[in-house]
Amino acid sequence: MAPRKQQEIFDATLRLVAEKGYDGLTVEGVAERAGVNKTTIYRWWPSKAALLGAALVESDVLAFDAPDTGSLRGDLVALVESVRRLLTEPPGSDIAVAALGAAVRHPELDARRFFTDRFARERRIFERAVSRGELKESADPMLIVDLLAGAVWMRAVFRGLRPGDDFATEAVSALLDGV
């Protein structure tokens, strides 16, 4: 499949899940919005869960590059800020909350692929920090990411608060410097 058409299918998938939730997501609806036959979609993805899982990882809408500011602190602040934007600014906020929220009720939607892909990219932050001597090799990068991203999820999604401009800096400082 041509990359452009694949992105159109992914974009249609993410727009539809953002608008109608996982239960309202249909292969037929995606096909109509993307201007393809539903058989084209089924040829590449066997179910709507597989299609949404691929879209979450491969769509340009949710593209992610690990920050490289030259310091662990700077990279973590930039990372927290990118998670904040994902969860508070459309279209990412609508997509993330609808799709990842659906993963709790629908195990066939394997959200682990999304988080595995993201963490594989984030791991570079910690490898660089270890090589610069900013972080012990024994540090658990996934725990650090979970603590910081979890703080954003709690504030932005569950509490309905929009973290302020200084939230990323404060969260990273609380983790690295202690409370």
Side-chain angles (χ1 to χ4, degrees), residues 150-173:
V152 180
W153 271 90
M154 281 302 296
R155 289 232 175 153
V157 177
F158 298 110
R159 291 187 181 170
L161 304 173
R162 300 239 183 231
D165 291 336
D166 56 351
F167 175 77
T169 301
E170 289 176 4
V172 171
S173 292

Side-chain angles (χ1 to χ4, degrees), residues 83-97:
V83 173
R84 183 200 65 77
R85 281 192 310 275
L86 173 69
L87 295 176
T88 61
E89 297 175 7
S93 57
D94 299 326
I95 294 165
V97 173

Side-chain angles (χ1 to χ4, degrees), residues 6-17 25 30 45 47-63 95 99 109-110 113-114 117-118:
Q6 186 175 9
Q7 282 302 314
E8 290 175 19
I9 291 169
F10 291 154
D11 290 350
T13 301
L14 295 178
R15 281 194 318 273
L16 195 56
V17 80
L25 175 66
V30 171
W45 303 281
S47 66
K48 76 176 184 177
L51 174 60
L52 180 55
L56 288 171
V57 172
E58 299 176 34
S59 171
D60 291 341
V61 173
L62 300 178
I95 294 165
L109 174 59
D110 185 9
R113 182 174 172 214
F114 173 80
D117 176 73
R118 279 289 229 246

Side-chain angles (χ1 to χ4, degrees), residues 3-171:
R4 190 177 128 255
K5 190 49 77 174
Q6 186 175 9
Q7 282 302 314
E8 290 175 19
I9 291 169
F10 291 154
D11 290 350
T13 301
L14 295 178
R15 281 194 318 273
L16 195 56
V17 80
E19 291 170 17
K20 299 186 179 210
Y22 184 74
D23 294 334
L25 175 66
T26 63
V27 171
E28 292 79 11
V30 171
E32 183 179 323
R33 286 185 183 210
V36 299
N37 292 319
K38 69 180 183 177
T39 55
T40 300
I41 295 173
Y42 281 121
R43 184 176 310 125
W44 293 94
W45 303 281
S47 66
K48 76 176 184 177
L51 174 60
L52 180 55
L56 288 171
V57 172
E58 299 176 34
S59 171
D60 291 341
V61 173
L62 300 178
F64 170 77
D65 290 317
D68 186 359
T69 65
S71 73
L72 175 62
R73 184 176 300 273
D75 288 352
L76 291 178
V77 168
L79 180 64
V80 169
E81 182 56 26
S82 74
V83 173
R84 183 200 65 77
R85 281 192 310 275
L86 173 69
L87 295 176
T88 61
E89 297 175 7
S93 57
D94 299 326
I95 294 165
V97 173
L100 299 176
V104 173
R105 294 177 316 159
H106 301 281
E108 69 277 10
L109 174 59
D110 185 9
R112 288 176 298 184
R113 182 174 172 214
F114 173 80
F115 289 109
T116 299
D117 176 73
R118 279 289 229 246
F119 185 69
R121 297 172 194 217
E122 295 162 346
R123 183 176 290 283
R124 294 181 198 125
I125 293 169
F126 302 99
E127 291 167 353
R128 290 190 305 261
V130 167
S131 70
R132 289 189 300 254
E134 296 176 291
L135 188 66
K136 294 179 185 176
E137 205 168 324
S138 62
D140 182 351
M142 191 176 291
L143 176 60
I144 294 169
V145 169
D146 288 350
L147 289 169
L148 292 171
V152 180
W153 271 90
M154 281 302 296
R155 289 232 175 153
V157 177
F158 298 110
R159 291 187 181 170
L161 304 173
R162 300 239 183 231
D165 291 336
D166 56 351
F167 175 77
T169 301
E170 289 176 4

